[in-house]
mmCIF file of all heavy atoms in Angstrom:
data_model
loop_
_atom_site.group_PDB
_atom_site.id
_atom_site.type_symbol
_atom_site.label_atom_id
_atom_site.label_comp_id
_atom_site.label_asym_id
_atom_site.label_seq_id
_atom_site.Cartn_x
_atom_site.Cartn_y
_atom_site.Cartn_z
ATOM 1 N N VAL A 275 22.832 -22.265 -35.710
ATOM 2 C CA VAL A 275 23.303 -22.887 -34.478
ATOM 3 C C VAL A 275 22.542 -24.171 -34.207
ATOM 4 O O VAL A 275 23.119 -25.213 -33.848
ATOM 5 C CB VAL A 275 23.166 -21.902 -33.302
ATOM 6 C CG1 VAL A 275 23.456 -22.602 -31.974
ATOM 7 C CG2 VAL A 275 24.109 -20.719 -33.483
ATOM 8 N N ALA A 276 21.206 -24.119 -34.373
ATOM 9 C CA ALA A 276 20.393 -25.314 -34.121
ATOM 10 C C ALA A 276 20.759 -26.431 -35.092
ATOM 11 O O ALA A 276 20.888 -27.608 -34.696
ATOM 12 C CB ALA A 276 18.914 -24.960 -34.228
ATOM 13 N N ASP A 277 20.913 -26.059 -36.367
ATOM 14 C CA ASP A 277 21.235 -27.079 -37.364
ATOM 15 C C ASP A 277 22.615 -27.690 -37.112
ATOM 16 O O ASP A 277 22.794 -28.914 -37.183
ATOM 17 C CB ASP A 277 21.183 -26.473 -38.773
ATOM 18 C CG ASP A 277 19.769 -26.074 -39.170
ATOM 19 O OD1 ASP A 277 18.817 -26.555 -38.504
ATOM 20 O OD2 ASP A 277 19.621 -25.273 -40.106
ATOM 21 N N VAL A 278 23.605 -26.805 -36.802
ATOM 22 C CA VAL A 278 24.951 -27.320 -36.548
ATOM 23 C C VAL A 278 24.949 -28.218 -35.320
ATOM 24 O O VAL A 278 25.554 -29.307 -35.319
ATOM 25 C CB VAL A 278 25.943 -26.155 -36.387
ATOM 26 C CG1 VAL A 278 27.275 -26.645 -35.846
ATOM 27 C CG2 VAL A 278 26.142 -25.446 -37.717
ATOM 28 N N SER A 279 24.264 -27.764 -34.257
ATOM 29 C CA SER A 279 24.212 -28.578 -33.038
ATOM 30 C C SER A 279 23.554 -29.920 -33.302
ATOM 31 O O SER A 279 24.011 -30.969 -32.824
ATOM 32 C CB SER A 279 23.452 -27.822 -31.950
ATOM 33 O OG SER A 279 24.073 -26.580 -31.668
ATOM 34 N N HIS A 280 22.478 -29.889 -34.085
ATOM 35 C CA HIS A 280 21.777 -31.140 -34.394
ATOM 36 C C HIS A 280 22.653 -32.078 -35.218
ATOM 37 O O HIS A 280 22.711 -33.285 -34.963
ATOM 38 C CB HIS A 280 20.474 -30.825 -35.136
ATOM 39 C CG HIS A 280 19.689 -32.049 -35.477
ATOM 40 N ND1 HIS A 280 18.965 -32.771 -34.546
ATOM 41 C CD2 HIS A 280 19.529 -32.707 -36.669
ATOM 42 C CE1 HIS A 280 18.386 -33.813 -35.131
ATOM 43 N NE2 HIS A 280 18.707 -33.785 -36.426
ATOM 44 N N GLU A 281 23.362 -31.486 -36.192
ATOM 45 C CA GLU A 281 24.201 -32.318 -37.047
ATOM 46 C C GLU A 281 25.406 -32.880 -36.291
ATOM 47 O O GLU A 281 25.932 -33.941 -36.637
ATOM 48 C CB GLU A 281 24.684 -31.496 -38.254
ATOM 49 C CG GLU A 281 23.579 -31.102 -39.225
ATOM 50 C CD GLU A 281 22.896 -32.321 -39.842
ATOM 51 O OE1 GLU A 281 23.591 -33.351 -40.068
ATOM 52 O OE2 GLU A 281 21.678 -32.258 -40.073
ATOM 53 N N LEU A 282 25.856 -32.172 -35.260
ATOM 54 C CA LEU A 282 27.012 -32.653 -34.506
ATOM 55 C C LEU A 282 26.674 -33.805 -33.563
ATOM 56 O O LEU A 282 27.580 -34.532 -33.123
ATOM 57 C CB LEU A 282 27.609 -31.503 -33.682
ATOM 58 C CG LEU A 282 28.407 -30.442 -34.455
ATOM 59 C CD1 LEU A 282 28.819 -29.318 -33.517
ATOM 60 C CD2 LEU A 282 29.635 -31.070 -35.109
ATOM 61 N N ARG A 283 25.394 -33.960 -33.251
ATOM 62 C CA ARG A 283 25.040 -34.965 -32.243
ATOM 63 C C ARG A 283 25.347 -36.385 -32.726
ATOM 64 O O ARG A 283 25.806 -37.229 -31.945
ATOM 65 C CB ARG A 283 23.555 -34.844 -31.876
ATOM 66 C CG ARG A 283 23.201 -33.481 -31.320
ATOM 67 C CD ARG A 283 21.833 -33.427 -30.737
ATOM 68 N NE ARG A 283 21.788 -34.056 -29.419
ATOM 69 C CZ ARG A 283 20.773 -33.970 -28.588
ATOM 70 N NH1 ARG A 283 19.709 -33.250 -28.943
ATOM 71 N NH2 ARG A 283 20.787 -34.568 -27.422
ATOM 72 N N THR A 284 25.111 -36.645 -34.018
ATOM 73 C CA THR A 284 25.353 -38.009 -34.522
ATOM 74 C C THR A 284 26.839 -38.370 -34.485
ATOM 75 O O THR A 284 27.210 -39.405 -33.907
ATOM 76 C CB THR A 284 24.789 -38.138 -35.949
ATOM 77 O OG1 THR A 284 23.387 -37.877 -35.902
ATOM 78 C CG2 THR A 284 25.034 -39.536 -36.490
ATOM 79 N N PRO A 285 27.727 -37.529 -35.066
ATOM 80 C CA PRO A 285 29.151 -37.896 -34.951
ATOM 81 C C PRO A 285 29.648 -37.851 -33.511
ATOM 82 O O PRO A 285 30.531 -38.617 -33.125
ATOM 83 C CB PRO A 285 29.863 -36.855 -35.818
ATOM 84 C CG PRO A 285 28.910 -35.732 -35.957
ATOM 85 C CD PRO A 285 27.555 -36.340 -35.922
ATOM 86 N N LEU A 286 29.062 -36.979 -32.686
ATOM 87 C CA LEU A 286 29.478 -36.924 -31.299
ATOM 88 C C LEU A 286 29.110 -38.210 -30.561
ATOM 89 O O LEU A 286 29.854 -38.662 -29.686
ATOM 90 C CB LEU A 286 28.838 -35.723 -30.594
ATOM 91 C CG LEU A 286 29.632 -34.419 -30.644
ATOM 92 C CD1 LEU A 286 28.839 -33.297 -30.002
ATOM 93 C CD2 LEU A 286 30.970 -34.585 -29.942
ATOM 94 N N ALA A 287 27.964 -38.776 -30.909
ATOM 95 C CA ALA A 287 27.561 -40.030 -30.266
ATOM 96 C C ALA A 287 28.591 -41.126 -30.570
ATOM 97 O O ALA A 287 29.004 -41.890 -29.675
ATOM 98 C CB ALA A 287 26.178 -40.442 -30.743
ATOM 99 N N ALA A 288 29.024 -41.178 -31.837
ATOM 100 C CA ALA A 288 30.020 -42.179 -32.217
ATOM 101 C C ALA A 288 31.358 -41.888 -31.530
ATOM 102 O O ALA A 288 32.032 -42.805 -31.021
ATOM 103 C CB ALA A 288 30.196 -42.200 -33.734
ATOM 104 N N MET A 289 31.741 -40.610 -31.490
ATOM 105 C CA MET A 289 32.992 -40.246 -30.845
ATOM 106 C C MET A 289 32.953 -40.576 -29.354
ATOM 107 O O MET A 289 33.939 -41.041 -28.781
ATOM 108 C CB MET A 289 33.278 -38.753 -31.040
ATOM 109 C CG MET A 289 33.601 -38.370 -32.481
ATOM 110 S SD MET A 289 33.625 -36.576 -32.721
ATOM 111 C CE MET A 289 34.959 -36.149 -31.608
ATOM 112 N N THR A 290 31.814 -40.319 -28.732
ATOM 113 C CA THR A 290 31.683 -40.611 -27.295
ATOM 114 C C THR A 290 31.811 -42.107 -27.032
ATOM 115 O O THR A 290 32.458 -42.537 -26.063
ATOM 116 C CB THR A 290 30.326 -40.092 -26.786
ATOM 117 O OG1 THR A 290 30.242 -38.682 -27.022
ATOM 118 C CG2 THR A 290 30.175 -40.349 -25.297
ATOM 119 N N MET A 291 31.182 -42.920 -27.902
ATOM 120 C CA MET A 291 31.260 -44.368 -27.729
ATOM 121 C C MET A 291 32.706 -44.849 -27.872
ATOM 122 O O MET A 291 33.207 -45.637 -27.051
ATOM 123 C CB MET A 291 30.375 -45.067 -28.760
ATOM 124 C CG MET A 291 30.372 -46.595 -28.651
ATOM 125 S SD MET A 291 29.274 -47.332 -29.862
ATOM 126 C CE MET A 291 30.057 -46.812 -31.378
ATOM 127 N N VAL A 292 33.416 -44.339 -28.886
ATOM 128 C CA VAL A 292 34.807 -44.745 -29.091
ATOM 129 C C VAL A 292 35.673 -44.267 -27.928
ATOM 130 O O VAL A 292 36.546 -44.999 -27.431
ATOM 131 C CB VAL A 292 35.326 -44.178 -30.430
ATOM 132 C CG1 VAL A 292 36.820 -44.443 -30.569
ATOM 133 C CG2 VAL A 292 34.561 -44.809 -31.589
ATOM 134 N N ALA A 293 35.441 -42.989 -27.472
ATOM 135 C CA ALA A 293 36.227 -42.456 -26.373
ATOM 136 C C ALA A 293 36.002 -43.260 -25.100
ATOM 137 O O ALA A 293 36.931 -43.485 -24.314
ATOM 138 C CB ALA A 293 35.867 -40.990 -26.147
ATOM 139 N N THR A 294 34.751 -43.723 -24.895
ATOM 140 C CA THR A 294 34.454 -44.531 -23.707
ATOM 141 C C THR A 294 35.222 -45.843 -23.748
ATOM 142 O O THR A 294 35.798 -46.297 -22.741
ATOM 143 C CB THR A 294 32.948 -44.796 -23.618
ATOM 144 O OG1 THR A 294 32.251 -43.534 -23.579
ATOM 145 C CG2 THR A 294 32.615 -45.590 -22.372
ATOM 146 N N VAL A 295 35.258 -46.478 -24.932
ATOM 147 C CA VAL A 295 35.998 -47.751 -25.081
ATOM 148 C C VAL A 295 37.485 -47.516 -24.824
ATOM 149 O O VAL A 295 38.144 -48.305 -24.136
ATOM 150 C CB VAL A 295 35.744 -48.341 -26.482
ATOM 151 C CG1 VAL A 295 36.650 -49.557 -26.703
ATOM 152 C CG2 VAL A 295 34.287 -48.729 -26.641
ATOM 153 N N LEU A 296 38.019 -46.412 -25.380
ATOM 154 C CA LEU A 296 39.440 -46.129 -25.188
ATOM 155 C C LEU A 296 39.751 -45.888 -23.714
ATOM 156 O O LEU A 296 40.788 -46.344 -23.201
ATOM 157 C CB LEU A 296 39.845 -44.912 -26.007
ATOM 158 C CG LEU A 296 39.901 -45.107 -27.532
ATOM 159 C CD1 LEU A 296 40.210 -43.794 -28.228
ATOM 160 C CD2 LEU A 296 40.955 -46.154 -27.897
ATOM 161 N N GLU A 297 38.853 -45.167 -23.013
ATOM 162 C CA GLU A 297 39.093 -44.901 -21.589
ATOM 163 C C GLU A 297 39.053 -46.198 -20.771
ATOM 164 O O GLU A 297 39.815 -46.363 -19.812
ATOM 165 C CB GLU A 297 38.064 -43.907 -21.051
ATOM 166 C CG GLU A 297 38.331 -42.468 -21.468
ATOM 167 C CD GLU A 297 37.395 -41.508 -20.788
ATOM 168 O OE1 GLU A 297 36.193 -41.493 -21.122
ATOM 169 O OE2 GLU A 297 37.870 -40.759 -19.906
ATOM 170 N N GLU A 298 38.139 -47.098 -21.152
ATOM 171 C CA GLU A 298 38.041 -48.361 -20.415
ATOM 172 C C GLU A 298 39.312 -49.206 -20.589
ATOM 173 O O GLU A 298 39.720 -49.936 -19.677
ATOM 174 C CB GLU A 298 36.823 -49.145 -20.879
ATOM 175 C CG GLU A 298 35.496 -48.504 -20.459
ATOM 176 C CD GLU A 298 34.298 -49.264 -21.029
ATOM 177 O OE1 GLU A 298 34.523 -50.180 -21.850
ATOM 178 O OE2 GLU A 298 33.151 -48.917 -20.660
ATOM 179 N N ASP A 299 39.931 -49.131 -21.775
ATOM 180 C CA ASP A 299 41.134 -49.918 -22.047
ATOM 181 C C ASP A 299 42.415 -49.120 -21.843
ATOM 182 O O ASP A 299 43.496 -49.534 -22.293
ATOM 183 C CB ASP A 299 41.099 -50.447 -23.493
ATOM 184 C CG ASP A 299 39.916 -51.407 -23.703
ATOM 185 O OD1 ASP A 299 39.442 -51.980 -22.688
ATOM 186 O OD2 ASP A 299 39.467 -51.542 -24.860
ATOM 187 N N ALA A 300 42.321 -47.922 -21.196
ATOM 188 C CA ALA A 300 43.497 -47.061 -21.060
ATOM 189 C C ALA A 300 44.603 -47.717 -20.246
ATOM 190 O O ALA A 300 45.795 -47.460 -20.485
ATOM 191 C CB ALA A 300 43.086 -45.729 -20.413
ATOM 192 N N ASP A 301 44.194 -48.560 -19.265
ATOM 193 C CA ASP A 301 45.215 -49.191 -18.419
ATOM 194 C C ASP A 301 46.097 -50.156 -19.199
ATOM 195 O O ASP A 301 47.215 -50.493 -18.762
ATOM 196 C CB ASP A 301 44.541 -49.928 -17.255
ATOM 197 C CG ASP A 301 43.843 -48.965 -16.313
ATOM 198 O OD1 ASP A 301 44.217 -47.750 -16.309
ATOM 199 O OD2 ASP A 301 42.906 -49.375 -15.597
ATOM 200 N N GLN A 302 45.593 -50.631 -20.346
ATOM 201 C CA GLN A 302 46.363 -51.591 -21.139
ATOM 202 C C GLN A 302 47.248 -50.896 -22.177
ATOM 203 O O GLN A 302 47.981 -51.569 -22.906
ATOM 204 C CB GLN A 302 45.405 -52.559 -21.844
ATOM 205 C CG GLN A 302 44.491 -53.317 -20.876
ATOM 206 C CD GLN A 302 43.463 -54.159 -21.612
ATOM 207 O OE1 GLN A 302 43.554 -54.349 -22.839
ATOM 208 N NE2 GLN A 302 42.518 -54.723 -20.861
#
Side-chain angles (χ1 to χ4, degrees):
V275 172
D277 293 343
V278 168
S279 301
H280 181 75
E281 293 299 326
L282 286 175
R283 301 190 77 169
T284 300
L286 270 176
M289 292 169 62
T290 301
M291 181 178 63
V292 173
T294 302
V295 173
L296 289 176
E297 284 187 289
E298 290 176 352
D299 297 337
D301 294 338
Q302 302 174 11

